[in-house]
Amino acid sequence: MQSTQERRKAKLAIAFLPSVSAELKKYDELYQLYCQKGYTKQLCEEYADTFVNDVKKPANDDILQTARLYDMIHDNNNAEFYLDMLSDRKLGGDEKYDYCIQMLKTKSKLNHWRDAEDFRTENINFMQNHAEKVSPQKKADLYIALALADCAAAYSYDGDSDTKLKKFNMAFSMLMKNNYKPHGAHDMKLLEILITGVYICACSEDVSEIENAVRNAESYLKIIGNFEFDWCKDYYKKRISDASVKIL
């Protein structure tokens, strides 16, 4: 979640307007809740009410942030609900890229594989072109989303088992295709990639691969060691455990 200081900086030109000042105060209350307890249903609901539900014209970034928060507690239905609010809005640049990535991930995790494939086909040129302009971490998000779309298609395949396994292998290969290099000893994006790998292996139901993927993710979690917030270690341990039973 974006820090209060980062949000204030983004709104610097209008930060001293009374309405914006009150908004920043409420945002800071929610950010402090996040710092203390992490991603919770309470955080999602209060953020949604404050910045989207009870606002006449909510900002695109607040709608997207609400979807992300629900995504982080595995509430993909609510994540999709808020993303749908952006489907008819004119988006461009980083905003559109983030929306496309989040929507593709959400449709895939809901196993709406046909919708995910159609959405990917419609937006793949933009996503690939824009990925060349963003940070390596944000570029990795594209490959995570594409891998999840491949995984959803493989999971829904009702043909022979060998072909189904090959499709899961293709999903895992897509995840690794980015050749992401860790940035420092505590790279949370690498952990996200490893957790996604656990999920794909779990969906494939290959027991040996699941165990190997879990070991890799847990080993890296131990390497990270110190986290920004006290809740982080237990949260990511649960993320790995959830991914091993097809919850992402």
Side-chain angles (χ1 to χ4, degrees), residues 155 197-206 210 243-246:
Y155 191 73
V198 173
Y199 173 79
I200 293 172
C201 291
C203 290
S204 75
E205 300 181 343
D206 186 325
I210 297 171
S244 71
V245 291
K246 309 175 190 177

Side-chain angles (χ1 to χ4, degrees), residues 55-82:
V55 178
K56 188 174 182 180
K57 292 183 178 179
N60 292 343
D61 57 345
D62 282 324
I63 297 172
L64 187 56
Q65 179 65 71
T66 302
R68 285 198 190 104
L69 291 175
Y70 275 110
D71 174 52
M72 298 304 283
I73 63 167
H74 309 314
D75 190 342
N76 295 309
N77 286 309
N78 263 318
E80 185 178 48
F81 171 81
Y82 286 100

